[in-house]
Amino acid sequence: MALIFHTPGEPAGIGPELLVALSRRPCSGSRVAVASAQLLKAYADRLGLSLALVPFQEGQTLAAGQLGVVDVPLTIPGVPGQPDPANAAYVLTCLREAVRLARKHRGAIVTGPIHKATINDAGIAFSGHTEFLAAQTGCDLPVMMLVADSLRVALVTTHLPLRDVAAAISSARVRACLQILHQDLRAKFGIANPRIQVCGLNPHAGESGHLGHEDGQLIAPVIAQAQQQGWLVRGPIPADTAFTPHALSRCDAVLCMYHDQGLPVLKHVGFGRAVNVTLGLPLIRTSVDHGTAFDLAGRGLADPGSLIAAEALALDLLNS
């Protein structure tokens, strides 16, 4: 039976209550929380939901309303809407344990939202799930991709200030990200010959060098090389036309150069049901497309749609 290891993320955010809500739904695999059992029970009680926590054993079959658990104690009690750096180590311990379990049992990880600032305020350098999971698994270059229905958007750079993006774009990095995207679209998504559209870095993809030289000098040669290998790759495409219906009908994924080039479009199209997927890892990891929403935490108002979609995609990828 497929194993899904859930980490609900920041204990003061909406992640724990979303997982409690998810546990009320049937699951075709085995759903396991790697988290504080006390925290999950407290959120269930707060929301008036019955929840049976069952210590994790491989091969266990659970019904709706039951949740397997690998208990990771909190440092201090979690208070909805009030993040505390004292629990930063707890958040990262949950992630490390989920990686260990997923690799041992050939399962997948589904991550809830974390609050990067709280972890950094604890004195722990942390740029995001993607980079942390890459370090935990020995992955040299993880690639972030978000999925909303048939739209897939992958990124060459992730959590960088905009002023640093151009310096981070190199032919080697674009080539490596394109290779990982192409490989995982085939291996994990079952697309035999993926059609990939690559965005340019600059407005109008550099306007023939009048608006920047990166597109012609760094990105275009990588695309030409991929085309010589028989890959169905187009670009560099101006980002302002890459997401038109006609352009999207001709591709299986869009490779963007930076975070806010592609993700605003994807979240506009699919917020609440979009899923974050980390490519290049030696395991399957999906995640919600939203943050901790401290203003909603503990009130029973958070929408579990993205978590439902993240678990469903993880199961599909495990079973493909």
Side-chain angles (χ1 to χ4, degrees):
M1 179 178 288
L3 279 167
I4 305 293
F5 295 98
H6 283 267
T7 58
E10 168 57 52
I14 61 173
E17 67 189 84
L18 291 179
L19 182 53
V20 169
L22 181 70
S23 71
R24 308 284 298 170
R25 300 171 59 92
C27 179
S28 62
S30 186
R31 185 184 287 140
V32 182
V34 184
S36 163
Q38 180 214 12
L39 177 72
L40 295 174
K41 191 67 170 64
Y43 269 98
D45 292 344
R46 186 183 186 95
L47 300 175
L49 298 174
S50 61
L51 175 66
L53 295 173
V54 181
F56 166 64
Q57 291 184 345
E58 189 173 11
Q60 65 190 171
T61 301
L62 302 176
Q66 295 181 312
L67 180 62
V69 64
V70 175
D71 188 24
V72 180
L74 282 166
T75 305
I76 63 171
V79 180
Q82 299 180 31
D84 194 314
N87 278 325
Y90 157 81
V91 172
L92 299 184
T93 298
C94 291
L95 288 171
R96 291 190 191 96
E97 182 66 2
V99 168
R100 185 188 70 80
L101 290 166
R103 299 190 78 173
K104 177 181 178 181
H105 298 286
R106 299 182 180 273
I109 298 173
V110 176
T111 58
I114 54 176
H115 194 238
K116 292 187 282 290
T118 302
I119 297 173
N120 282 283
D121 287 345
I124 303 170
F126 185 83
S127 59
H129 269 122
T130 302
E131 296 80 8
F132 182 83
L133 293 174
Q136 291 297 304
T137 58
C139 171
D140 292 332
L141 180 63
V143 174
M144 179 188 291
M145 182 173 77
L146 268 78
V147 179
D149 300 327
S150 62
L151 178 59
R152 304 178 184 92
V153 176
L155 304 176
V156 172
T157 64
T158 53
H159 300 117
L160 287 179
L162 192 56
R163 70 171 65 189
D164 297 336
V165 168
I169 300 296
S170 65
S171 290
R173 186 176 184 90
V174 173
R175 182 179 299 109
C177 290
L178 182 59
Q179 288 174 339
I180 291 169
L181 175 59
H182 188 271
Q183 171 186 304
D184 276 10
L185 286 173
R186 296 184 65 195
K188 293 179 179 177
F189 287 82
I191 302 173
N193 199 358
R195 302 168 299 163
I196 300 172
Q197 186 169 257
V198 181
C199 287
L201 172 66
N202 297 296
H204 301 176
E207 195 74 70
S208 300
H210 295 286
L211 292 176
H213 298 284
E214 293 89 352
D215 303 278
Q217 295 179 0
L218 302 178
I219 302 171
V222 174
I223 295 170
Q225 183 182 51
Q227 290 170 340
Q228 290 171 2
Q229 295 175 245
W231 292 9
L232 302 179
V233 182
R234 298 174 59 246
I237 306 292
D240 63 352
T241 59
F243 294 95
T244 62
H246 175 68
L248 291 178
S249 71
R250 302 170 61 191
C251 72
D252 298 300
V254 181
L255 181 61
C256 292
M257 293 298 115
Y258 57 95
H259 188 279
D260 282 10
Q261 185 178 58
L263 297 197
V265 179
L266 183 133
K267 291 190 177 185
H268 172 72
V269 169
F271 190 75
R273 64 180 190 278
V275 179
N276 187 344
V277 185
T278 305
L279 307 180
L281 298 179
L283 51 81
I284 291 166
R285 178 260 174 162
T286 66
S287 184
V288 295
D289 70 342
H290 56 73
T292 50
F294 291 126
D295 58 323
L296 299 179
R299 300 171 60 193
L301 301 176
D303 183 353
S306 183
L307 184 59
I308 293 169
E311 183 184 76
L313 181 56
L315 284 166
D316 285 346
L317 295 176
L318 275 179
N319 293 325
S320 63

